[in-house]
Amino acid sequence: MRYSAFSVFLNALRGNKGWNPAWRSPVPKNRYDVIIVGGGGHGLATAYYLAKEFGVTNVAVLEKGYIGSGNVGRNTTIIRSNYLLQGNNPFYELSMKLWEGLEQDFNFNAMVSQRGVLNLYHSDAQRDAYTRRGNAMRLHGVDADLLDRNAVRQMLPFLDFDNARFPIQGALMQKRGGTVRHDAVAWGYARGADTRGVDIIQNCEVTGIRRENGRVVGVDTSQGFIGCGKLALAAAGNSTSVADMVDMKLPIESHVLQAFVSEGLKPFIDNVVTFGAGHFYVSQSDKGGLVFGGDIDGYNSYAQRGNLATVEHVAEAGVAMIPALSRVRVLRSWGGVMDMSMDGSPIIDRTHIDNLYLNAGWCYGGFKATPASGFCYAHLIAKNEPHETGRAFRLDRFARGRMIDEKGVGSQPNLH
Amino acid sequence: MASLIACPHCGPRPKEEFTVRGDAGITRPAPDAREDAWYAYVYLRDNPRGRHKEHWHHTSGCRRWLIVERDTVTHAVYAVTDAAAQGETA
């Protein structure tokens, strides 16, 4: 069924009895042309674009939990394309353009809200660095505005502008950045893929990858063996565990990142704001809760929960930026497992096995990349050639010295 | 993660006093080792699900390098030893 204002109206008249599940729960077939391991945002987007853009519809997405249980439902919902480096910038801008047309494209209300992303700067040096980033963005055709202190004060008067240690001098703003309702992204892609013939199989954990003559022939799962023509990994924080099944060692460590939501408040923060003196980012959801987060905890972890020391650190950074936060009560906090790569940038590439593809290493920037990641990965799987905007995300770039290190901290994943 | 780390020199100390460097299982290759050995040392990680040894620095304490053995799923800490005591360098 196509969703529209009319369908909402009609179903309201009929007592809302006409709504059907948004996707099927099929029994897995014996064999698929493509199997995608991981039913997160990236896996579902990949399936969607494979079916819609590349005509590959005999596809299964295998998800060990349920749709929306992983990082796609655990992030702080921010979208932006304010990157400095050449390999990153066009890719994230493709993602932004796909976000801008996404709801019409997959006929689902994802509440894409381009409310603007502001990165605060607190020193002359930081202003210069942001100026450079803004200029790089503009050279790539991305919108960027450098705001001075007064311009920021007019938008966000409650910030601590005269903080003794980190006075706010201004901000780099991307007006087209903003937030998207993350669950709806998973549901919209799942529904769009399902209606085009993709089988979404939940509670189906991959336990082994079978190979014959150097090629993948299928996967062993908790629901039995399923054969495939091509196998595409999109397992995020569990990428190492899946790659271990084919003896592939990855330049990835799994770390836990926490996020938080406060009690509902009246409209207060209109944009996404990030603190330049510590790692803190915040926006306000449509329900009124402040959604915020900070750095990863810093140690390897597969647990979807974090440490109180990081909770304290995030709260301190938040109060340093917005003193009024000291009276806000936190409702919930949670953790997600991040596939931290060694240069802070992702991998979308072929592997040493002909029909095995890898999508991993999204660190904690995977949500904003969901549409472009799905699009580029679908392109790679369907054509066996990388999409032009995803060319730089090669698996062998570490060995070849072509790192894309946006932050410039080297091969130390807990610093990216 | 446990909130206290039992430093062999200082006793149980808050986790915030420590800095995590990362995997203690990798060994620095010889200076004239081949490029692939250096690539593996700098970039490839076992990233185990379960028991894992890491180098932690007691930055705000004795400033010794320690090896913390812990579980990456349950966050239980099994053992904390001085890195030099094992004769390991990285």
Side-chain angles (χ1 to χ4, degrees):
Chain A
M1 183 206 312
R2 194 173 163 76
Y3 295 157
S4 64
F6 181 69
S7 73
V8 171
F9 180 71
L10 203 65
N11 272 289
L13 288 181
R14 291 173 181 165
N16 281 315
K17 287 177 183 151
W19 300 113
N20 295 316
W23 59 85
R24 299 162 293 134
S25 297
V27 176
K29 292 192 254 181
N30 291 332
R31 190 179 183 284
Y32 292 90
D33 292 342
V34 177
I35 287 180
I36 298 166
V37 181
H42 292 220
L44 293 168
T46 305
Y48 174 78
Y49 290 116
L50 268 176
K52 181 169 180 285
E53 303 292 335
F54 302 100
V56 184
T57 55
N58 187 16
V59 177
V61 179
L62 309 184
E63 165 55 43
K64 78 180 165 94
Y66 60 90
I67 297 304
S69 60
N71 293 344
V72 72
R74 289 169 182 268
N75 54 74
T76 47
T77 79
I78 297 165
I79 60 167
R80 56 184 175 85
S81 57
N82 53 358
Y83 282 75
L84 172 73
L85 299 180
Q86 212 141 32
N88 277 333
N89 194 306
F91 173 82
Y92 286 100
E93 179 57 14
L94 170 69
S95 211
M96 183 57 79
K97 290 202 172 100
L98 289 169
W99 284 120
E100 286 173 332
L102 185 67
E103 294 165 302
Q104 299 305 318
D105 190 65
F106 68 17
N107 181 231
F108 202 93
N109 182 8
M111 295 162 73
V112 176
S113 165
Q114 294 183 288
R115 57 184 69 182
V117 173
L118 287 93
N119 304 132
L120 302 177
Y121 60 80
H122 308 263
S123 65
D124 291 355
Q126 201 168 24
R127 180 201 57 215
D128 292 348
Y130 281 9
T131 306
R132 181 174 173 234
R133 176 139 64 102
N135 285 335
M137 288 161 65
R138 286 183 164 225
L139 284 171
H140 281 104
V142 182
D143 68 307
D145 294 287
L146 197 71
L147 307 182
D148 63 12
R149 185 181 162 92
N150 282 335
V152 178
R153 198 190 280 272
Q154 279 181 9
M155 296 174 70
L156 304 158
F158 46 78
L159 298 180
D160 189 5
F161 284 89
D162 300 312
N163 185 306
R165 200 166 161 206
F166 304 115
I168 293 166
Q169 292 193 7
L172 179 67
M173 181 177 191
Q174 186 185 16
K175 285 182 183 153
R176 287 161 65 238
T179 59
V180 179
R181 187 185 176 202
H182 53 198
D183 305 306
V185 174
W187 299 335
Y189 275 125
R191 174 172 167 268
D194 179 88
T195 53
R196 287 169 177 83
V198 172
D199 281 359
I200 295 164
I201 300 159
Q202 305 182 71
N203 302 309
C204 182
E205 183 171 358
V206 171
T207 53
I209 298 174
R210 281 198 212 169
R211 283 176 288 175
E212 278 172 23
N213 304 321
R215 288 176 66 85
V216 173
V217 293
V219 289
D220 292 305
T221 76
S222 51
Q223 299 189 24
F225 175 79
I226 310 172
C228 67
K230 293 177 176 178
L231 186 66
L233 309 181
N238 293 305
S239 293
T240 298
S241 309
V242 185
D244 277 347
M245 296 173 190
V246 287
D247 309 314
M248 180 164 59
K249 205 165 166 180
L250 298 178
I252 283 175
E253 284 183 6
S254 296
H255 286 254
V256 61
L257 175 70
Q258 302 189 63
F260 310 84
V261 68
S262 79
E263 59 188 337
L265 303 167
K266 286 185 178 178
F268 164 42
I269 299 174
D270 298 335
N271 320 90
V272 178
V273 195
T274 77
F275 193 37
H279 206 159
F280 179 80
Y281 37 93
V282 62
S283 66
Q284 189 166 16
S285 80
D286 295 271
K287 281 197 288 188
L290 302 182
V291 183
F292 57 96
D295 264 325
I296 52 176
D297 277 29
Y299 45 82
N300 284 34
S301 175
Y302 284 90
Q304 288 174 314
R305 64 181 190 284
N307 190 263
L308 277 175
T310 306
V311 177
E312 188 180 22
H313 181 80
V314 169
E316 282 169 355
V319 172
M321 185 172 99
I322 308 174
L325 288 190
S326 65
R327 294 194 293 157
V328 172
R329 282 166 293 195
V330 175
L331 273 191
R332 287 180 286 127
S333 72
W334 60 92
V337 182
M338 309 291 122
D339 35 339
M340 301 298 296
S341 70
M342 300 307 263
D343 64 355
S345 294
I347 297 156
I348 305 177
D349 204 358
R350 293 174 285 237
T351 65
H352 66 289
I353 298 171
D354 263 354
N355 58 345
L356 178 71
Y357 302 86
L358 177 69
N359 178 320
W362 291 95
C363 300
Y364 49 88
F367 178 68
K368 72 177 89 69
T370 306
S373 167
F375 196 92
C376 291
Y377 200 29
H379 185 286
L380 178 74
I381 297 161
K383 297 177 184 280
N384 207 32
E385 279 295 324
H387 186 265
E388 57 178 353
T389 62
R391 262 179 204 288
F393 302 143
R394 293 173 62 122
L395 179 55
D396 67 357
R397 69 173 182 269
F398 302 95
R400 292 154 57 98
R402 301 208 177 256
M403 272 68 74
I404 311 166
D405 193 343
E406 192 82 21
K407 224 167 157 185
V409 294
S411 60
Q412 188 70 26
N414 61 358
L415 298 182
H416 281 292
Chain B
M1 230 0 261
S3 292
L4 294 174
I5 300 293
C7 173
H9 307 292
C10 312
R13 302 297 304 168
K15 192 191 133 296
E16 301 93 292
E17 290 186 359
F18 299 80
T19 311
V20 186
R21 178 184 173 273
D23 197 335
I26 46 174
T27 313
R28 194 179 179 87
D32 57 352
R34 286 162 49 96
E35 265 186 25
D36 50 357
W38 280 100
Y39 162 66
Y41 168 69
V42 177
Y43 295 111
L44 297 184
R45 296 291 178 267
D46 284 331
N47 191 25
R49 191 187 174 89
R51 269 185 190 256
H52 185 43
K53 283 184 181 175
E54 277 169 345
H55 280 127
W56 287 46
H57 188 234
H58 197 177
T59 321
S60 305
C62 57
R63 299 193 64 80
R64 294 290 298 175
W65 279 102
L66 309 172
I67 292 179
V68 177
E69 185 177 9
R70 54 182 195 88
D71 193 299
T72 59
V73 180
T74 65
H75 286 171
V77 177
Y78 298 119
V80 185
T81 52
D82 192 290
Q86 308 204 353
E88 289 177 20
T89 52

